């Protein structure tokens, strides 16, 4: 299920408190090891909340599943390179389907990512 409104959190801790099953790692090294969508290291434009600077999209918990591993249902967020603020773009979605949808279309703005996620199934394929 896609989030009906944009949720913005002022810190990683605030996001994690609201989404305990889909946490962003608190350790910097663990955050930087996540595989996310960042438009070939250029980052995306935040045309939803107006956060300055380049944004990265993460698939939580743990990043998008690797090919051949089980899918998970989770939350898709955007942040300025995994620092606050954190914007929730979708929740309760198949992380594999969300990842595939985003990387196939190569969006440059957060609104495009959010629009793409509107069509993503909430149940992982079996």
């Amino acid at each position: 299920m896609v989030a009906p409104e944009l949720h913005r959190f002022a810190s990683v801790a605030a996001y994690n408190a609201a989404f305990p099953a889909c946490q962003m790692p608190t350790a910097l090294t663990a955050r930087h090891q996540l595989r996310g969508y960042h438009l070939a290291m250029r980052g995306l434009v935040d045309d939803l909340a107006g956060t300055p600077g380049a944004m990265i999209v993460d698939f939580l918990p743990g990043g998008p599943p690797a090919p051949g591993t089980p899918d998970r249902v989770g939350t898709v967020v955007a942040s300025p390179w995994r620092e606050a603020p954190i914007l929730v773009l979708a929740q309760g979605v198949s992380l594999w389907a969300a990842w595939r949808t985003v990387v196939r279309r190569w969006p440059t703005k957060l609104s495009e990512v959010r629009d793409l996620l509107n069509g993503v199934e909430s149940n992982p394929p079996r």
Side-chain angles (χ1 to χ4, degrees):
M1 179 181 303
V2 175
E5 60 184 70
L6 188 65
H7 297 285
R8 182 183 177 117
F9 295 91
S11 68
V12 171
Y15 164 79
N16 286 346
F19 290 89
C22 300
Q23 293 202 355
M24 171 78 73
T26 55
L28 257 174
T29 54
R31 282 203 303 263
H32 293 298
Q33 290 174 353
L34 284 174
R35 183 173 63 138
Y37 176 74
H38 45 64
L39 194 62
M41 298 303 287
R42 289 181 290 190
L44 291 90
V45 173
D46 179 2
D47 61 336
L48 295 173
T51 308
M55 302 288 279
I56 187 168
V57 175
D58 282 304
F59 303 79
L60 301 172
T69 62
D71 194 4
R72 299 180 308 280
V73 172
T75 302
V76 180
V77 302
S79 63
W81 299 96
R82 300 184 176 116
E83 300 295 332
I86 298 190
L87 307 172
V88 176
L89 302 176
Q91 59 190 61
V93 296
S94 158
L95 294 182
W96 180 241
W99 171 258
R100 278 194 323 226
T101 299
V102 170
V103 298
R104 285 181 178 164
R105 298 295 294 272
W106 205 254
T108 61
K109 299 175 186 172
L110 293 185
S111 62
E112 294 169 345
V113 173
R114 189 173 168 136
D115 289 347
L116 288 170
L117 295 175
N118 279 325
V120 171
E121 299 281 328
S122 60
N123 296 320
R126 298 193 193 278

